[in-house]
Amino acid sequence: MSAAAVLLLGLGAALLVIAAWGVISLPDALSRQHAATKAGTLALTLVLLGAWLLVPTAEWAWRLALILGFLMATLPVASHLLARAAVVEAGLDQQIRDAPLIGDEPH
Amino acid sequence: MKRLAAAVTLLLRFVRATFVSGFETVAVIIKSGRPGGAPPPVAFLRVRFAPMSAQGAALLGSMVSLTPGSTTIDIDMERRELLLHVLDASDTDALVAGIRRDFEPGLRVLFGTEAAA
Amino acid sequence: MMALATGVLVAGAVIAAALASVRIIAGPTLSDRVVALDIFLAAAIALAVAASLGTGRTVFLDVAIGLALVGFVATIGWARLVHRAPRDPNGGEGP
């Protein structure tokens, strides 16, 4: 139990560093945004799971679940608005109008 | 009961998709982040979605945003299109297939408006 | 075991915050800086979890709950600002 928890915490910490590295290395704000919000949240999910395995009591469990729930509820809103603002700031409106339609019709 | 089953299936599929594509995003970062690595093939794309209510479309957009590698920029209810920014546009078929397979069936049971089809 | 886990977590969060600082200083656009703030938020929550693992007290988890709740407010406020601000044809620093 404890070894799995440490593994999850270590993996979460490593993913957090990789997410931060993505923010450094990716070429523009929109792709950096993928790294920061998505990989960062995945890292935190692993950290919270690991913490729950280390201390499997109810008073920890509901607090950890609440953190994860708030993150999951606010992340799409922040990510969506951030992407829109980044598009406006970088002046990519034309690229958006030219975006190709992919995939078949839903059936 | 059918709606409850659909909601649970949707949640499980969503969690799985989040983890799978989370690690794919990490792979993209590692691949393009090392010295001399090529930048990822980013793209703006439009994807049609199945007829559903505005709430369903908002939930679909949020789920696509939470699934790493793609961010919803706009939802066009009239043309039923999601405007996405994707980090790895090398396999767009898999992206569309993932949305169709994982998210749309459950959302159509919960929020579908078949009259609009 | 516990000490090892919290040590790794703290190290990861500090490195992530350091890397995000580089991006905040370098910019070049406001979007980049706000994106780097998201990494700071994640690192802060990870540090709060590490603090409560280290001390065994849940009060630090309450801090993390607060952070998770309000962490996105800065992003939203900034996004509103960009939408309202006059457009800068040269890109760059933005409003």
Side-chain angles (χ1 to χ4, degrees), chain C residues 2 9 11 16 23 26 31 34 36-37 47 55 68 72 77 80 82-84 94:
Chain C
M2 199 85 141
L9 195 53
R23 178 50 67 198
S31 314
V34 176
L37 273 182
L47 281 175
T55 59
F72 76 122
R80 298 290 298 170
V82 169
H83 269 288
R84 286 192 190 175

Short mmCIF file of all heavy atoms in Angstrom, two decimals, chain C residues 2 9 11 16 23 26 31 34 36-37 47 55 68 72 77 80 82-84 94:
data_model
loop_
_atom_site.label_atom_id
_atom_site.label_comp_id
_atom_site.label_asym_id
_atom_site.label_seq_id
_atom_site.Cartn_x
_atom_site.Cartn_y
_atom_site.Cartn_z
N MET C 2 7.21 7.82 4.42
CA MET C 2 6.46 9.07 4.35
C MET C 2 7.39 10.24 4.03
O MET C 2 7.06 11.10 3.19
CB MET C 2 5.80 9.30 5.72
CG MET C 2 4.67 10.27 5.70
SD MET C 2 3.16 9.43 5.24
CE MET C 2 2.01 10.24 6.33
N LEU C 9 7.87 14.98 -3.47
CA LEU C 9 6.78 15.88 -3.87
C LEU C 9 7.21 17.34 -3.77
O LEU C 9 6.98 18.15 -4.68
CB LEU C 9 5.57 15.60 -2.97
CG LEU C 9 4.24 16.15 -3.42
CD1 LEU C 9 3.95 15.73 -4.84
CD2 LEU C 9 3.14 15.65 -2.50
N ALA C 11 10.28 18.49 -3.79
CA ALA C 11 11.30 18.77 -4.81
C ALA C 11 10.65 19.02 -6.17
O ALA C 11 10.98 19.99 -6.86
CB ALA C 11 12.29 17.61 -4.88
N ALA C 16 9.13 22.65 -10.51
CA ALA C 16 8.08 23.12 -11.42
C ALA C 16 7.87 24.62 -11.27
O ALA C 16 7.74 25.35 -12.26
CB ALA C 16 6.79 22.36 -11.15
N ARG C 23 9.29 31.11 -17.34
CA ARG C 23 8.31 31.48 -18.37
C ARG C 23 7.63 32.79 -18.03
O ARG C 23 7.34 33.60 -18.92
CB ARG C 23 7.29 30.34 -18.53
CG ARG C 23 6.21 30.60 -19.53
CD ARG C 23 6.71 31.06 -20.87
NE ARG C 23 7.46 30.04 -21.58
CZ ARG C 23 8.29 30.31 -22.59
NH1 ARG C 23 8.47 31.56 -23.00
NH2 ARG C 23 8.94 29.35 -23.19
N ALA C 26 10.15 35.45 -18.94
CA ALA C 26 10.45 35.53 -20.36
C ALA C 26 9.25 35.99 -21.19
O ALA C 26 9.41 36.60 -22.24
CB ALA C 26 10.95 34.18 -20.86
N SER C 31 -0.55 35.93 -22.30
CA SER C 31 -1.10 34.57 -22.24
C SER C 31 -0.09 33.61 -21.65
O SER C 31 -0.43 32.78 -20.81
CB SER C 31 -1.46 34.09 -23.64
OG SER C 31 -2.16 35.07 -24.34
N VAL C 34 0.09 33.97 -17.89
CA VAL C 34 -1.06 33.41 -17.17
C VAL C 34 -1.01 31.88 -17.20
O VAL C 34 -1.37 31.22 -16.22
CB VAL C 34 -2.37 33.95 -17.77
CG1 VAL C 34 -3.56 33.31 -17.11
CG2 VAL C 34 -2.44 35.44 -17.59
N ALA C 36 1.69 30.12 -17.20
CA ALA C 36 2.68 29.73 -16.20
C ALA C 36 2.11 29.81 -14.79
O ALA C 36 2.47 29.04 -13.91
CB ALA C 36 3.92 30.61 -16.32
N LEU C 37 1.15 30.75 -14.57
CA LEU C 37 0.51 30.84 -13.26
C LEU C 37 -0.26 29.55 -12.93
O LEU C 37 -0.37 29.18 -11.77
CB LEU C 37 -0.46 32.02 -13.23
CG LEU C 37 0.13 33.37 -12.85
CD1 LEU C 37 -0.98 34.41 -12.81
CD2 LEU C 37 0.80 33.30 -11.49
N LEU C 47 2.28 21.36 -2.88
CA LEU C 47 3.00 21.70 -1.66
C LEU C 47 2.09 21.62 -0.44
O LEU C 47 2.52 21.18 0.63
CB LEU C 47 3.62 23.10 -1.77
CG LEU C 47 4.92 23.19 -2.57
CD1 LEU C 47 5.36 24.63 -2.70
CD2 LEU C 47 6.01 22.37 -1.90
N THR C 55 3.09 16.88 8.21
CA THR C 55 2.71 17.18 9.59
C THR C 55 1.58 16.29 10.08
O THR C 55 1.33 16.25 11.29
CB THR C 55 2.24 18.64 9.70
OG1 THR C 55 1.12 18.81 8.83
CG2 THR C 55 3.34 19.60 9.28
N ALA C 68 -7.77 25.46 -4.88
CA ALA C 68 -8.44 24.85 -6.02
C ALA C 68 -9.69 25.64 -6.39
O ALA C 68 -10.07 25.72 -7.56
CB ALA C 68 -8.80 23.39 -5.71
N PHE C 72 -8.71 29.64 -10.41
CA PHE C 72 -9.02 29.96 -11.80
C PHE C 72 -9.55 31.39 -11.96
O PHE C 72 -9.75 31.85 -13.07
CB PHE C 72 -10.01 28.96 -12.36
CG PHE C 72 -11.43 29.14 -11.91
CD1 PHE C 72 -12.43 29.34 -12.83
CD2 PHE C 72 -11.75 29.10 -10.57
CE1 PHE C 72 -13.74 29.52 -12.42
CE2 PHE C 72 -13.05 29.26 -10.15
CZ PHE C 72 -14.04 29.46 -11.08
N GLY C 77 -10.40 36.53 -14.93
CA GLY C 77 -10.32 37.99 -14.93
C GLY C 77 -9.43 38.49 -16.05
O GLY C 77 -9.80 39.43 -16.78
N ARG C 80 -11.15 38.15 -19.47
CA ARG C 80 -12.12 39.23 -19.70
C ARG C 80 -11.40 40.49 -20.13
O ARG C 80 -11.85 41.21 -21.03
CB ARG C 80 -12.91 39.51 -18.42
CG ARG C 80 -13.73 38.36 -17.91
CD ARG C 80 -14.90 38.08 -18.79
NE ARG C 80 -15.83 39.21 -18.86
CZ ARG C 80 -16.83 39.26 -19.72
NH1 ARG C 80 -17.02 38.28 -20.58
NH2 ARG C 80 -17.63 40.29 -19.74
N VAL C 82 -8.56 40.81 -21.72
CA VAL C 82 -8.07 40.73 -23.10
C VAL C 82 -9.21 40.95 -24.08
O VAL C 82 -9.07 41.60 -25.10
CB VAL C 82 -7.38 39.38 -23.34
CG1 VAL C 82 -7.10 39.18 -24.82
CG2 VAL C 82 -6.08 39.32 -22.57
N HIS C 83 -10.40 40.40 -23.74
CA HIS C 83 -11.52 40.54 -24.66
C HIS C 83 -11.98 41.98 -24.77
O HIS C 83 -12.47 42.41 -25.81
CB HIS C 83 -12.69 39.66 -24.19
CG HIS C 83 -12.64 38.31 -24.79
ND1 HIS C 83 -12.92 38.06 -26.10
CD2 HIS C 83 -12.32 37.11 -24.26
CE1 HIS C 83 -12.77 36.78 -26.36
NE2 HIS C 83 -12.39 36.19 -25.25
N ARG C 84 -11.83 42.75 -23.67
CA ARG C 84 -12.33 44.12 -23.68
C ARG C 84 -11.30 45.11 -24.18
O ARG C 84 -11.66 46.17 -24.67
CB ARG C 84 -12.73 44.52 -22.26
CG ARG C 84 -14.01 43.86 -21.83
CD ARG C 84 -14.49 44.52 -20.59
NE ARG C 84 -15.59 43.76 -20.01
CZ ARG C 84 -16.13 44.06 -18.85
NH1 ARG C 84 -15.64 45.05 -18.16
NH2 ARG C 84 -17.13 43.37 -18.39
N GLY C 94 0.51 42.91 -25.61
CA GLY C 94 -0.91 42.89 -25.35
C GLY C 94 -1.35 44.14 -24.61
O GLY C 94 -0.65 45.15 -24.63
#
